[in-house]
Amino acid sequence: MEGWEERTDARRGKGVFQRVLRSMANLREVGVPFGISLTATRENCEEILSDEFLDFFFEEQGAVYGWIFQYMPIGRGFTLDMLPTPEQRVWMWKRAWQVIREKKYFLPDFWNLGTVSDGCISAGRQGGYLYFDWNGKVMPCVFVPYSPVNINDAYREGKTLNDILEEPFFEAIRQWQDRYGYAATRPEETKNWMMPCIIRDHHADFRRILEATEPDPEDEAALQAMMDPTYRDGLIKYDEALAQLMDPIWEREYLGGNGRGARSVGE
């Protein structure tokens, strides 16, 4: 969902909002648990995290869980203009914890709440995953549209998933994850898991890995993004501005307190 009916239908297609409600009604009728997936953008993040919107889906429609997927500038018609601003990211972090604590809704945010997954889970990390598209291209994550290998080609060559995991592109990302904090043995060695995403929150690091390992773009849009200096520079500037706001919160709430994390949200 992108918000209420007007906003959802504008981006997902006419009638989508009502079709979702009918699907929820069908699931309720036969007793199947279901959840909601919310895309957060610069234009709608306050709407989808409002009491009115969340109560409608969790209380009236009966959703038992939800996921917040912040807009990622990949795919057809990608743009940096829909990214939640750094200031909105901070607000969303506070608001998500408020909803979880006060309303008891299960509503993780894949980007702001990296603390619940020990950071980025892409590239076949232990406890993580790889993404395979319908053509067999293997990618670190559904949001990282670059592939060093096709599983069909690998199997024809007698290779296995272990060989795929050892691709330099995936290994480089896992090494970055370890340095960022996944392999840390002390809290102070862990970098900011409120900014866990390598392609969006640490685009300069991602570019270095991309250039060193040279995976293939999944499609024309991924190629355009890779070749566009405005896109690259815009994401790097976004990350720098985000770190200015998020790093002090990380230091104060997660490293400087009693270990509970986000303990003073709303205070």
Side-chain angles (χ1 to χ4, degrees):
M1 307 295 281
E2 305 279 339
W4 292 111
E5 185 167 7
E6 180 179 359
R7 198 181 296 275
T8 294
D9 285 5
R11 188 152 186 262
R12 297 291 177 175
K14 186 176 181 180
V16 167
F17 188 88
Q18 291 299 325
R19 289 203 298 273
V20 169
L21 295 188
R22 288 195 295 272
S23 297
M24 289 180 173
N26 292 337
L27 293 169
R28 283 197 307 273
E29 184 178 355
V30 294
V32 177
F34 61 88
I36 55 173
S37 174
L38 306 174
T39 303
T41 72
R42 185 170 304 185
E43 299 171 350
N44 76 351
C45 60
E46 290 87 357
E47 180 174 311
I48 64 172
L49 284 170
S50 67
D51 284 341
E52 181 184 14
F53 186 84
L54 293 174
D55 290 349
F56 175 76
F57 282 100
F58 280 91
E59 302 294 341
E60 297 183 33
Q61 300 302 312
V64 297
Y65 65 91
W67 295 103
I68 299 173
F69 293 89
Q70 294 184 29
Y71 173 79
M72 289 290 287
I74 59 172
R76 292 177 298 174
F78 63 83
T79 174
L80 302 186
D81 294 338
M82 290 182 67
L83 283 170
T85 67
E87 292 78 11
Q88 287 175 321
R89 283 274 299 262
V90 172
W91 177 83
M92 289 173 63
W93 172 77
K94 293 179 180 178
R95 176 59 177 159
W97 277 116
Q98 181 185 29
V99 168
I100 292 167
R101 289 199 169 106
E102 295 180 4
K103 293 182 174 292
K104 311 301 182 185
Y105 296 159
F106 184 87
L107 190 66
D109 178 331
F110 265 100
W111 286 265
N112 281 353
L113 304 187
T115 48
V116 301
S117 62
D118 291 343
C120 170
I121 62 172
S122 74
R125 191 200 81 177
Q126 185 177 7
Y129 82 117
L130 290 169
Y131 170 62
F132 299 75
D133 77 0
W134 45 87
N135 295 313
K137 296 177 182 178
V138 189
M139 286 162 273
C141 171
V142 67
F143 298 112
V144 181
Y146 300 95
S147 171
V149 63
N150 187 296
I151 192 170
N152 298 309
D153 296 337
Y155 279 0
R156 277 193 291 268
E157 296 169 6
K159 296 180 179 179
T160 68
L161 281 176
N162 287 334
D163 297 305
I164 290 173
L165 284 168
E166 292 173 0
E167 285 287 336
F169 183 46
F170 300 143
E171 284 193 333
I173 292 176
R174 292 197 300 272
Q175 289 167 3
W176 177 88
Q177 292 166 340
D178 286 346
R179 292 193 302 272
Y180 197 75
Y182 185 65
T185 58
R186 295 181 298 175
E188 60 270 23
E189 296 173 347
T190 304
K191 296 181 183 177
N192 190 346
W193 277 342
M194 297 168 66
M195 298 175 53
C197 179
I198 187 172
I199 189 172
R200 197 180 73 161
D201 296 337
H202 303 277
H203 197 70
D205 292 343
F206 177 73
R207 281 290 176 146
R208 284 190 284 271
I209 292 174
L210 197 67
E211 292 166 4
T213 59
E214 299 184 330
D216 294 327
E218 180 190 21
D219 51 28
E220 183 63 27
L223 176 62
Q224 291 175 3
M226 184 173 69
M227 301 300 293
D228 184 352
T230 302
Y231 177 90
R232 178 197 63 219
D233 295 344
L235 272 177
I236 291 172
K237 289 180 181 178
Y238 176 88
D239 297 343
E240 292 170 348
L242 183 62
Q244 289 290 320
L245 297 179
M246 288 289 208
D247 283 349
I249 298 173
W250 172 255
E251 292 286 340
R252 181 179 70 250
E253 301 293 343
Y254 291 96
L255 299 185
N258 58 14
R260 289 171 54 199
R263 65 194 184 286
S264 61
V265 174
E267 294 180 3

